[in-house]
Amino acid sequence: MNSWKEEGAVTEKEVLKQWIEESDNIVFFGGAGVSTESGIPDFRSQDGLYHQEYQYPPETIISHSFYQRNPEEFFRFYKNKMVITDAKPNKAHLALARLEQQGKLKAVITQNIDGLHQMAGSREVLELHGSIHRNYCAKCGKFYGLEAVTQAESVPRCSCGGIIKPDVVLYEEGLDQKTIQKAVEYIRQADVLIVGGTSLVVYPAAGLIDYYEGSKLVLINKSETGRDSQADLVIREPIGQVFDEILER
């Protein structure tokens, strides 16, 4: 690990810049920290949803059983805390989209549900936990956009009377296996794997990096993660700031 340190007195960001310049098979795996610079709260940061007072713990409210048992409270929390309609892509989202357009980045694998990668221009985005922008009737399967949820006074209803459920993975629900398998294939084949804005504690998503077989695993996160010792390169700074410094626009 960290064999680059023996090659000369260079900084971590200089090494990352070089690896990106030399590679045309980069995969990015990101979490909530990618979107905090767009004003979307991180669940686990000191200012995140897990540290805010609410009638029920967030983990309880965004569980499948709570959604079924108390849809009114679920949607009140969901619309107030998890849907940020005025969020815009930040420097990280835009940098990743540019890398894809340059033929360097093969895929973005994200735990986020905000759709900001697509808004920035990324095309190959694997959303492990779904998206707020896709919603469907739990009764008849009819699909709806985000407005059907945000404009509903309480529980959003389909024309058939069924509840319009966000296409997001709640606690107690499994991830889409096709999406998981595709992510595994991208990670396994990657030359450079950049992991950013995630504490790597949410499984099974966090376990995906175990499929990486290369020697350029990069972790970019403001705080320490449990996988730092496995990484070939660790940068503890905001990911948007890092990309802004090392990538030419």
Side-chain angles (χ1 to χ4, degrees), residues 33-187:
V34 178
S35 292
T36 53
E37 292 171 65
S38 293
I40 295 179
D42 177 352
F43 268 35
R44 289 173 179 79
S45 69
Q46 197 59 39
D47 298 320
L49 296 181
Y50 284 117
H51 294 271
Q52 296 178 13
E53 293 293 328
Y54 219 78
Q55 189 174 353
Y56 301 89
E59 300 98 325
T60 299
I61 299 176
I62 55 176
S63 67
H64 180 78
S65 56
F66 188 91
Y67 156 77
Q68 288 191 312
R69 185 172 67 250
N70 194 342
E72 291 83 5
E73 186 70 1
F74 168 84
F75 278 103
R76 187 170 77 86
F77 178 89
Y78 178 78
K79 288 190 280 187
N80 287 343
K81 300 295 185 181
M82 299 185 69
V83 178
I84 314 295
T85 56
D86 58 351
K88 296 289 186 286
N90 61 50
K91 292 173 181 177
H93 298 107
L94 296 170
L96 291 165
R98 288 198 304 273
L99 287 174
E100 184 185 46
Q101 291 160 9
Q102 294 167 8
K104 291 183 166 295
L105 184 76
K106 298 307 180 188
V108 168
I109 302 166
T110 181
Q111 295 172 285
N112 297 335
I113 60 174
D114 49 50
L116 292 180
H117 285 293
Q118 291 93 328
M119 197 181 299
S122 290
R123 299 173 65 87
E124 185 65 2
V125 181
L126 305 185
E127 296 171 310
L128 298 176
H129 296 157
S131 172
I132 63 172
H133 298 283
R134 297 189 303 271
N135 304 273
Y136 63 92
C137 173
K139 184 177 180 181
C140 74
K142 182 178 179 181
F143 273 78
Y144 288 87
L146 181 57
E147 298 76 17
V149 173
T150 57
Q151 294 177 6
E153 291 187 10
S154 180
V155 178
R157 296 277 180 180
C158 174
S159 54
C160 78
I163 295 178
I164 300 173
K165 182 182 183 295
D167 187 16
V168 300
V169 179
L170 305 178
Y171 286 104
E172 305 166 350
E173 294 180 344
L175 304 188
D176 179 76
Q177 287 306 303
K178 289 184 178 179
T179 304
I180 286 286
Q181 187 56 44
K182 199 171 184 181
V184 167
E185 291 172 5
Y186 273 121
I187 289 173

